[in-house]
Amino acid sequence: GAVVSQHPSWVICKSGTSVKIECRSLDFQATTMFWYRQFPKQSLMLMATSNEGSKATYEQGVEKDKFLINHASLTLSTLTVTSAHPEDSSFYICSAPKPWGAAWVGETQYFGPGTRLLVL
Amino acid sequence: SQQGEEDPQALSIQEGENATMNCSYKTSINNLQWYRQNSGRGLVHLILIRSNEREKHSGRLRVTLDTSKKSSSLLITASRAADTASYFCATPYNYGQNFVFGPGTRLSVLP
């Protein structure tokens, strides 16, 4: 079945550096992907919608200049946390909608396994 | 904005007991989904229930949906230690393209 992958699965970086996280749809095309953030013992909160070939749409309160999103191809979206700080430490999860026309079975979104970011 | 709300926030039971988690939502939906997340891991899709369904089963899982009350429940029967995880309900919006997740219920099943 369709799979969404993320790379890296975890990353530790120093404060002030930038970190890039990749989200790939492995056997289907995704014109739209979503980025979520999850703090410990909390739920997933949508950060932004990544649109292939156009600008990302950010949720209220999410700094677009800090969380740069690039959806350069139909199978790849990247999230770059610029000038990361300890408060950016979190679990970042991407998802992609099930392709239109796919069998209406089970879930409607495919989620990546997540990337754990720790900023020291 | 988050529209799903779950209770309890945390639940601790003995192995073999049943676990019930509830989810409430605010707007109209065409389906509701439940996910499981083991500590520090990704999401695992458990079950989807459509707005025209009232109950659905999958193995030891039973999900109900009451659209008049905008609520859903997830029942795990004969729980096992391996069921220890966080459980989230999720409701779609934006023409089903995206989700709003509830705050989750942290289930601990003690051996």
Side-chain angles (χ1 to χ4, degrees):
Chain A
V3 174
V4 172
S5 70
Q6 283 184 240
H7 177 81
S9 56
W10 60 271
V11 57
I12 301 173
C13 69
K14 292 181 179 180
S15 184
T17 60
S18 294
V19 175
K20 180 185 285 187
I21 303 170
E22 294 183 346
C23 176
R24 292 183 184 273
S25 57
L26 296 186
D27 59 0
F28 68 100
Q29 295 181 335
T31 56
T32 303
M33 292 182 177
F34 302 96
W35 288 96
Y36 295 84
R37 180 169 52 185
Q38 184 182 31
F39 292 108
K41 296 186 178 180
Q42 294 188 25
S43 187
L44 284 76
M45 296 297 293
L46 179 66
M47 298 175 65
T49 302
S50 173
N51 304 298
E52 189 271 335
S54 64
K55 292 182 179 180
T57 305
Y58 291 82
E59 295 299 301
Q60 191 172 8
V62 178
E63 300 175 60
K64 62 180 181 180
D65 294 331
K66 181 170 184 61
F67 298 99
L68 301 180
I69 291 174
N70 187 312
H71 197 143
S73 77
L74 289 171
T75 59
L76 174 65
S77 174
T78 60
L79 168 68
T80 301
V81 184
T82 61
S83 187
H85 290 283
E87 57 265 30
D88 299 322
S89 298
S90 188
F91 193 53
Y92 293 86
I93 302 176
C94 70
S95 75
K98 200 166 191 172
W100 291 111
W104 179 255
V105 175
E107 70 271 60
T108 57
Q109 291 265 339
Y110 296 117
F111 285 87
T115 296
R116 184 160 302 282
L117 170 63
L118 176 60
V119 184
L120 303 176
Chain B
S1 61
Q2 190 158 291
Q3 77 161 345
E5 296 181 3
E6 283 146 287
D7 76 271
Q9 292 189 354
L11 178 62
S12 185
I13 59 174
Q14 293 293 132
E15 210 166 21
E17 294 180 340
N18 296 341
T20 300
M21 290 157 267
N22 302 298
C23 166
S24 62
Y25 57 93
K26 298 177 182 176
T27 62
S28 296
I29 60 171
N30 55 31
N31 72 74
L32 183 145
Q33 303 184 37
W34 284 89
Y35 285 82
R36 184 184 75 216
Q37 184 181 37
N38 288 61
S39 182
R41 307 292 292 273
L43 297 174
V44 175
H45 181 262
L46 294 177
I47 197 165
L48 178 154
I49 185 166
R50 301 182 194 183
S51 59
N52 62 353
E53 298 175 311
R54 291 295 169 261
E55 187 172 311
K56 202 164 183 178
H57 296 256
S58 177
R60 293 184 294 112
L61 306 180
R62 173 177 168 257
V63 169
T64 64
L65 179 63
D66 187 335
T67 53
S68 66
K69 295 181 180 178
K70 291 186 168 60
S71 67
S72 173
S73 69
L74 170 67
L75 168 68
I76 303 175
T77 61
S79 63
R80 305 166 182 169
D83 295 328
T84 295
S86 290
Y87 292 83
F88 297 94
C89 68
T91 53
Y93 71 104
N94 191 20
Y95 304 102
Q97 287 285 295
N98 202 354
F99 285 157
V100 173
F101 284 87
T105 294
R106 294 190 306 278
L107 174 67
S108 297
V109 181
L110 306 175

